[in-house]
Each structure stands twice: as C-alpha cells, then as structure tokens.
Amino acid sequence: MPRSERLDVVMLRLAPLNAGKEGGRLTDRDTLKAYKKHILKFSGWAKELGIKREHDIEKNGYTNVTLIQKYADELVASGLRPTSVHTYLAPVCKGLGVGMHEIRKPSRNSADIIKNALRHQNSVGARQLKDPRFARIRRLGELAGVRPNELKKLNANCLLVDEFGDNMIRVRGKGGKISLQYLLPHEAVMVKELLSKDAEGNPIPPNKCPFTKKDLGKISWNYARDKRAQEIEQYYSQRFNAWKTMPSKTPAERKRRAEAQAAAEREKKEWIDKIVYKYSQEHPMATTTDIEKYRKQLENPAPISIRGGNRERAIALGRPTEYDRVAVRIASVYALSHWVDESTIRNYLTK
C-alpha cells in the first residue's frame, strides 16, 4: 500500500485543478497565492488534531466533509465575517474535493462586503473622483467596469463587434483572462472617442493606449463595477418590462400594449439565445443537458426575489427586491463575467 502523502501537499496540488473552470485550471498568481496561504493555515490547524497526512483524516474519525465542517464552526466561533469564512473555506474545499454547499456556514449578503466601500480606506481616491482632470478616465472606467491595470492597457483596437452585432471592449484581465465587456447601444461612439484621443483631445494611433498608470492615480474602481452592473440590469429590465405599465383601457391602447409586449418578448428570447450560445462556447465540457438546464433557468418567467439580509439592505437603499432574471444574467455575463446571478445580486445590485 503506498504511503499517504502529507495533507498540505495533496491539497496544494488538487486545489488549482478543482478551482479551474470547466475544461481548464486555475492559473492566476494572486489567487494561487491566496489559496496556498489558506491551505497551509488549515493544514496547521489539522496537525493540532493529529492529522498530518491524508489517511490521518479517516484514522481520526473524520471524513473530508466533517473535518472541514469542524474548521468552519471554529472560524464562525472566532468572530470572522461571513465573507471571510467563505474566503478561508473555498481553497480548503477545493483541496479536499468537497463542494462548498456541503458545509454549513453563514450566508453572505451585500452588507458584509466592505472592501473599498468605506471613505477612509481610499481618501486620496475619493478626492480624485471629484477632480475634473480625471473625468474622462472615470467615465471610461464606469462604462468598462474594469480594474486600473486593465484600463491602462485599453486602446481603440480593443473595440469590436461580436457575431451578434453587439459592441464590446476586449479586456485582458487577471491571469491573462480575456473578457468582452458589453457596451449599451448608445455608448459605443463615446468609448471610441475616449480611446482615440489623448487628454488634450489630440488623435492618437489605434494601437496606442491613451491612459498611463500615473493617469489612473489611486482611484478605487469598485464603485464603477457596482454602477455598471446596475446600469445594464436597469436598462434591460426597463426594455423587457416597460409594456406592463402601458395603459390598456381602449382597443387602441391594448393593441399598442400587445405589440410592445411581443417586441419585448422577442428581444428577450434573442438575448437568451445569445447568452446560452456564449455559455456553450465558454464551457466546452458542458453536456447538452447542462446547456438545456442553463436555458430553462433563463426561460423561467418568474422574477428573482431576494430575501434575508440582502432584501433588507436593498429596501434600505431604495433598490429593487425583485429582478428580471434575463436582465440580471445580461449584467452577470456581459459586465461581470459571471455565469450565475447570486454573486451579481449580492455583490453589485444590492449595494
């Protein structure tokens, strides 16, 4: 019988593989560094229970799930925020091949997400947001919804039209990951203008980047991603549902309302087709059943209703508590590069 490997060695090898998207693996250096940190922290904790190697888990009366559950319970008892508990657990679950849904833990909500949300955390950036010299950079950042390191790489050549005729900004993100950030129909001309001229308004070559790291200063762009997701969700929610508020007392009004409803439903179906196609392209390992399940989620006519702490926070901020699921998925996929909506609603729409 082969000798059991050290627990930390096993986890460090498996976590990047289990964390990768379908057909790929985790490669981003910063994320790998964070995974390693939390895996070593967990392994150190496990040693105190007499668990140094993989087979020690069963020898000491645990399964992978029950061991992680004990760790989760101690993290919660130590007073960590729900978001921190999730951060600690994600690498551990990946390293031991356990689904996060198998572990009992406190639910995260938007009120728990405070990174860069407090004014004192970025006082310099807060002042720069009001400086007119940064207006064009701020506007592009709001439209693209990208990080400063990504913003400084953008030029006019990054603008493209996809196979459906939608305007996109091609962005190279963390770990070299390419994403296409969606532009609303009326924004494409403005973005082209921003990327084609320098700060003085002089034309520049399409392969030259108009912004430098110095230009970007110390502005925090987290607010921009929040705002961008909210803009896109609101725009398409209005397009898909405006007919519901149209008058319908007279035959002529009912006819106009029915026509508007039919047009909205056609547009929504077109978006469902585009999103499902994009999903199938980005997930080559997805089966036909997986793809159909993804489509049925979008075709469900019922709105997404939020509950608990997220609902309370949304009410306090005057934000909706129900969302059109296709409008949310457009924001998820085309603005945030997420494939599901829970993170979009919690981290962006209810903030």
Side-chain angles (χ1 to χ4, degrees):
M1 181 176 178
R3 186 179 181 186
S4 178
E5 292 185 275
R6 275 179 22 207
L7 184 62
D8 55 349
V9 172
V10 173
M11 295 177 69
L12 290 170
R13 183 177 68 249
L14 295 181
L17 297 174
N18 291 332
K21 65 180 182 180
E22 291 184 69
R25 59 172 293 163
L26 185 66
T27 58
D28 180 64
R29 290 183 180 180
D30 290 339
T31 306
L32 287 171
K33 182 178 179 181
Y35 268 44
K36 181 178 180 179
K37 170 186 171 182
H38 290 297
I39 284 172
L40 293 178
K41 188 185 293 286
F42 170 80
S43 298
W45 170 84
K47 283 181 182 179
E48 297 179 3
L49 300 177
I51 299 171
K52 298 180 180 179
R53 296 182 176 276
E54 190 177 15
H55 67 188
D56 290 336
I57 296 176
E58 188 174 348
K59 284 175 60 177
N60 282 271
Y62 296 97
T63 64
N64 289 357
V65 172
T66 58
L67 181 64
I68 297 175
Q69 186 62 64
K70 180 177 177 63
Y71 185 57
D73 293 342
E74 293 193 14
L75 292 175
V76 172
S78 71
L80 286 177
R81 287 178 172 271
T83 49
S84 297
V85 172
H86 280 247
T87 299
Y88 277 59
L89 291 180
V92 172
C93 286
K94 300 299 184 185
L96 289 178
V98 172
M100 287 281 281
H101 65 280
E102 298 179 70
I103 305 301
R104 296 188 309 277
K105 54 197 177 298
S107 298
R108 295 174 292 179
N109 62 58
S110 56
D112 296 316
I113 302 168
I114 61 172
K115 182 180 179 181
N116 290 328
L118 304 179
R119 181 172 297 275
H120 73 269
Q121 291 178 317
N122 191 12
S123 57
V124 174
R127 290 195 300 272
Q128 287 183 333
L129 284 173
K130 300 177 182 179
D131 191 324
R133 292 176 301 163
F134 294 92
R136 71 191 187 103
I137 304 174
R138 185 169 70 249
R139 184 54 183 151
L140 181 60
E142 290 170 348
L143 291 175
V146 299
R147 303 172 182 85
N149 282 340
E150 298 161 4
L151 196 63
K152 71 182 180 183
K153 300 173 186 175
L154 296 184
N155 56 49
N157 284 340
C158 295
L159 294 175
L160 56 89
V161 177
D162 72 5
E163 60 267 52
F164 297 105
D166 294 319
N167 292 290
M168 302 284 185
I169 304 177
R170 185 177 185 272
V171 177
R172 183 178 292 276
K174 292 194 300 183
K177 178 184 177 183
I178 299 295
S179 65
L180 298 179
Q181 301 296 116
Y182 175 68
L183 293 173
L184 293 171
H186 60 279
E187 296 168 342
V189 174
M190 181 194 308
V191 172
K192 184 174 182 180
E193 180 84 4
L194 289 169
L195 291 175
S196 301
K197 297 182 178 180
D198 61 19
E200 286 70 44
N202 301 314
I204 59 175
N207 62 344
K208 182 178 179 181
C209 302
F211 308 125
T212 66
K213 187 174 181 179
K214 184 178 180 181
D215 288 332
L216 297 172
K218 297 180 180 179
I219 295 175
S220 168
W221 293 102
N222 272 27
Y223 84 97
R225 287 173 66 77
D226 298 344
K227 181 178 179 183
R228 185 58 177 165
Q230 291 168 13
E231 280 181 345
I232 290 181
E233 182 275 326
Q234 289 169 7
Y235 179 86
Y236 281 103
S237 181
Q238 174 67 16
R239 289 186 68 84
F240 296 152
N241 299 285
W243 63 269
K244 296 178 181 178
T245 61
M246 294 176 66
S248 59
K249 293 182 178 179
T250 68
E253 288 176 342
R254 286 194 290 273
K255 180 181 178 181
R256 285 194 292 270
R257 176 178 165 130
E259 290 173 345
Q261 179 182 0
E265 289 176 351
R266 282 195 301 272
E267 184 176 11
K268 180 178 281 193
K269 183 181 183 305
E270 289 172 0
W271 271 106
I272 291 173
D273 290 342
K274 287 194 288 189
I275 292 169
V276 172
Y277 173 80
K278 188 176 178 70
Y279 175 83
S280 66
Q281 294 298 301
E282 293 289 327
H283 298 80
M285 301 295 289
T287 65
T288 301
T289 302
D290 294 333
I291 294 170
E292 283 305 307
K293 182 178 179 181
Y294 194 79
R295 177 184 289 277
K296 286 186 181 300
Q297 290 175 351
L298 291 170
E299 291 176 338
N300 182 351
I304 299 173
S305 297
I306 58 174
R307 293 178 287 274
N310 287 333
R311 180 182 177 85
E312 294 171 4
R313 182 169 176 79
I315 292 172
L317 294 173
R319 303 285 300 144
T321 57
E322 288 190 345
Y323 292 91
D324 183 288
R325 65 183 63 242
V326 178
V328 173
R329 192 68 59 91
I330 293 171
S332 297
V333 173
Y334 286 85
L336 303 170
S337 297
H338 296 165
W339 291 103
V340 293
D341 305 321
E342 181 183 354
S343 177
T344 298
I345 292 172
R346 181 185 64 240
N347 295 4
Y348 299 95
L349 300 185
T350 55
K351 288 182 69 176

